[in-house]
Amino acid sequence: MYNQIGSNVVQAPFGVMIPGYLSQTQFLLNGNYYLMDIQNAQQVHSIALFLLNPIPEGYAVCLFYSRYPFDGISFLGAIANQRPSDIFATSFNQILTDQDQIKLVLSVEPINEQITELVQLTNDAQNKLKYGLTIAQNLYNFMTAYNKEVVINGQEVDVLITPANVLQIWLQKLQQKYKENPNFIYKTTK
């Protein structure tokens, strides 16, 4: 789906900078998607995305990546006029094994609730606080799966009954999800 058939090279209203690579502001355009191949992607630990000029209000530039066979995408981050640049961590060194190429897929999309939260983080302190709070929310959501209703003194009460290794189970799941997508935590909805 994210192949380059019928694509044209165009100047985008944004740019990408990857340590060790030249900055890119021209991309292959395929429909509404701006595409960029990255060779040796296992060595890419972060990607900077920046606006060259303001974009229409209510829109954001969303950064995704696609792995072979390039038929799906995973979200990395977004920028908008309120936050015209950012650096996004990748986990390519952990998710790529026998291949070393990925495609960056960028698109200008209407801002939704998740994107709004990401582009409103204006400094590292806020970002760290938001990340910590979303990890805590993730743990809370995981633990609520162990709620049980019991009757104590004739009243139904919710209690938390967990296996002794519940935190170890949660941490393993958290690490696996992080390995697949370092930004997964922002998908917590509860």
Side-chain angles (χ1 to χ4, degrees):
M1 177 175 188
Y2 302 99
N3 58 31
Q4 298 166 356
I5 297 171
S7 301
N8 299 318
V9 175
V10 297
Q11 177 69 39
F14 52 82
V16 169
M17 186 174 3
I18 299 170
Y21 293 76
L22 292 173
S23 297
Q24 295 291 318
T25 59
Q26 294 186 345
F27 300 87
L28 293 170
L29 184 63
N30 188 347
N32 294 326
Y33 297 103
Y34 297 84
L35 306 173
M36 175 182 165
D37 288 331
I38 297 181
Q39 304 297 327
N40 302 317
Q42 290 174 317
Q43 299 174 12
V44 175
H45 300 285
S46 60
I47 298 173
L49 178 61
F50 55 92
L51 292 179
L52 295 170
N53 295 301
I55 58 176
E57 286 301 319
Y59 284 82
V61 177
C62 297
L63 174 63
F64 304 90
Y65 69 91
S66 183
R67 295 169 47 188
Y68 183 81
F70 310 117
D71 57 356
I73 57 176
S74 298
F75 182 75
L76 277 176
I79 60 171
N81 292 335
Q82 306 92 300
R83 188 171 179 85
S85 64
D86 209 338
I87 300 172
F88 304 101
T90 73
S91 58
F92 299 154
N93 63 331
Q94 297 176 16
I95 61 172
L96 297 176
T97 52
D98 58 349
Q99 64 182 33
D100 62 354
Q101 178 185 355
I102 58 118
K103 287 188 186 299
L104 288 186
V105 179
L106 299 109
S107 64
V108 179
E109 300 183 8
I111 293 177
N112 63 29
E113 186 176 317
Q114 177 186 12
I115 293 171
T116 298
E117 287 181 22
L118 290 175
V119 299
Q120 286 178 346
L121 299 174
T122 58
N123 62 45
D124 286 339
Q126 282 181 305
N127 196 6
K128 289 176 183 173
L129 174 62
K130 175 68 174 172
Y131 198 79
L133 291 174
T134 53
I135 286 177
Q137 183 68 52
N138 183 276
L139 175 59
Y140 174 80
N141 293 344
F142 181 79
M143 297 290 288
T144 58
Y146 293 97
N147 278 357
K148 304 288 182 206
E149 285 188 13
V150 296
V151 177
I152 299 176
N153 295 331
Q155 290 186 338
E156 286 188 9
V157 179
D158 280 338
V159 295
L160 187 63
I161 302 173
T162 66
N165 65 344
V166 69
L167 291 177
Q168 181 181 5
I169 294 168
W170 170 76
L171 186 57
Q172 288 171 343
K173 288 184 179 206
L174 184 80
Q175 288 171 331
Q176 182 60 37
K177 288 179 182 179
Y178 183 87
K179 187 185 286 188
E180 294 169 6
N181 177 4
N183 297 306
F184 86 94
I185 199 71
Y186 292 112
K187 295 181 182 178
T188 301
T189 57
K190 288 187 180 180

